[in-house]
Amino acid sequence: MNITSNIPRTGETELDGTIVAIRGGVVDVTFAGVVPRIHALVTADGVAMEVASIVGEGVVRCIALGATRGMALGTRATVTGTGIEVPVGEGVLGRMLDVFGNPLDGLPPPEVAARRPIHRAPPRLSDRVLRAEILETGIKAIDLLSPIERGGKTGLFGGAGVGKTVLLSELIHNTVEHHHGVSLFCGIGERSREAEELWREMGDAGVRDRMVMLFGQMNEAPGVRFLVGHSALTMAEYFRDDREQDVLLLIDNIFRFVQAGSEVSGLLGRMPSRVGYQPTLATELAALQERIASTRRGAITSIQAVYVPADDFTDPAAAHIFSHLSASVVLSRKRASEGLYPAVDPLASTSVMLTPQVVGQRHYDIARAVRRTLAEYEDLRDIIAMLGIEELSAHDRAVVARARRLERFLTQPFYTVGAAAGTSGKLVPIADTLDGCEEILSQNQFQLPESAYYMIGALSDLKDKAA
């Protein structure tokens, strides 16, 4: 990738060096005089490289951000006096960009007034907002059982085919349309097919002009996958701090950021730590996650897809990621197979925001009652399968009736798939969600069948759906 024409000159004296070693995506460059600083940008044969460490007198070790095929020892390398910078401003909205801010959508480069370095310090403690606030998504299952913290980090657990991309798309739609904010999607190690599909789906949903999409593809150098998250955060910080807007940052997949860091660390020659991960895992992850915060000007709220290796939650990568999350939304393949979309598992999803002090006593009590009812129904499933529902007591039959209606009430039609499904989307305020669940929980007998509760918005839509 030739990006030298897009690197702004700083006016500093350029430094020339010579390549003395090439090991996959890591290149050693020697300089006769002054050596460049950490995070400085070096170019050789049109390939950009970032200085990662100084390994000896006059020798720096760089992470290549492009293919090193064809690069030879003795090649001249040039330092331009600047680090990696990305464009920030309104001009990046509606665009698909790479780690440098260069277009991937076939359009001209974004027209912006400024570029900023991707390595930036997190907000100071004095600038952070200390009060807990909820980001209302309009999605019943999330707002009720796993409320998202405004300015916090939410982990989204889900495999292929359970509706993860649709849920992310709906979150983008609701944030843009009803919170007057902007959205950024950062694809780390994404398949090219997934990136193209998401780009097309965002256009079809009509939300692409209020969002930015950045991709470090699966086939790109590990350095690109490792740094594209920082590029996305730099753009998000502009909208939060300069434009004073709320930003929704979606990352898919944060585990691939850890994988890229592990690959880079091995190439840099660092001694592996536990389970083969890089010794700097906690530091690198914190440098990215701590920039996601709520300040007095605005908030960056992040929803991150998380892959857990071999379903082992004690894995070092998973443990470090969990330490930064304030909520987890688990998508269930079983619920998806039953057609219950969004396929949020109500018993596995949690949030630190779900306390009486934050959401209020009524919300907390209703959420606990919903979970308790669904848990009781789960315990009764085996008995129903073996003996039939007629063998249950009157109390248990009432629990089953309430639970099955709650399951269907927590489904919801989405705007982003409305055209394909032949439905119109529904955005449901938290108050309507609580009223509906409370009414269902208070009943022992129901006049309408379970199917009437399926794919509605508020409970007030029930009569229209039944008719």
Side-chain angles (χ1 to χ4, degrees), residues 76-100:
R76 177 174 174 266
T78 302
V79 181
T80 60
T82 181
I84 299 176
E85 296 181 342
V86 293
V88 294
E90 298 288 336
V92 301
L93 292 174
R95 304 300 304 274
M96 181 192 289
L97 308 172
D98 64 9
V99 65
F100 304 102

Side-chain angles (χ1 to χ4, degrees), residues 320-400:
H320 282 293
I321 292 171
F322 288 142
S323 67
H324 293 279
L325 300 178
S326 57
S328 61
V329 178
V330 180
L331 297 183
S332 164
R333 189 170 300 279
K334 180 174 178 293
R335 291 179 64 84
S337 66
E338 295 173 355
L340 302 175
Y341 290 105
V344 176
D345 189 330
L347 302 181
S349 302
T350 59
S351 173
V352 298
M353 295 288 102
L354 193 59
T355 63
Q357 293 77 19
V358 177
V359 299
Q361 189 66 47
R362 178 170 178 260
H363 184 157
Y364 176 73
D365 291 341
I366 292 174
R368 286 192 61 188
V370 168
R371 277 213 178 99
R372 184 168 56 249
T373 302
L374 294 175
E376 290 179 15
Y377 173 49
E378 198 67 29
D379 293 338
L380 294 170
R381 278 180 182 268
D382 290 340
I383 298 176
I384 296 171
M386 290 185 294
L387 303 177
I389 195 170
E390 295 79 9
E391 297 300 319
L392 297 180
S393 65
H395 172 268
D396 287 345
R397 286 199 298 271
V399 168
V400 171

Side-chain angles (χ1 to χ4, degrees), residues 7-15 41-43 78-83:
I7 300 175
R9 306 298 183 182
T10 61
E12 299 181 14
T13 303
E14 293 188 353
L15 305 175
L41 195 60
V42 181
T43 59
T78 302
V79 181
T80 60
T82 181

